Amino acid sequence: MKSNARKKLRAKNCDAIVANDVSGNETGMESDENEVTIFFRDGEIRKISRAGKKIIARELVKIFEKIFEKGLTKKSW
């Protein structure tokens, strides 16, 4: 998962990419819970532990809101 996520991050020239852990029976597509890892361009990695998908979504919004506020992206809107 890690090497594939990093590869996609570089290939797509993104600021960050979120990788879902779908390897377990208790997380992923057929579950109400998930576990994700966020890979950032600068090499930072953040993990959101197993939680309900709504909680994961809220955490992702908070993280990306902070990034946007910091102005880390160099892309123009």
Side-chain angles (χ1 to χ4, degrees):
M1 174 178 76
K2 289 180 184 180
S3 63
N4 191 36
R6 288 185 179 125
K7 185 186 212 182
K8 283 186 179 184
L9 181 68
R10 286 189 302 274
K12 296 177 182 274
N13 194 28
C14 296
D15 294 325
I17 192 163
V18 178
N20 289 329
D21 183 357
V22 294
S23 62
N25 292 335
E26 298 173 353
T27 60
M29 301 298 183
E30 300 297 323
S31 172
D32 292 332
E33 294 187 332
N34 212 343
E35 185 172 321
V36 301
T37 304
I38 310 156
F39 297 88
F40 295 90
R41 180 189 304 223
D42 66 2
E44 181 183 356
I45 299 172
R46 290 192 200 173
K47 186 171 184 171
I48 301 176
S49 298
R50 187 173 144 211
K53 290 183 178 179
K54 286 184 181 182
I55 293 170
I56 299 277
R58 286 186 191 115
E59 289 302 311
L60 288 170
V61 168
K62 289 177 191 176
I63 289 167
F64 290 115
E65 182 178 49
K66 286 179 185 178
I67 290 172
F68 183 76
E69 287 174 357
K70 287 181 181 180
L72 293 180
T73 184
K74 305 227 182 322
K75 297 174 184 169
S76 61
W77 300 96

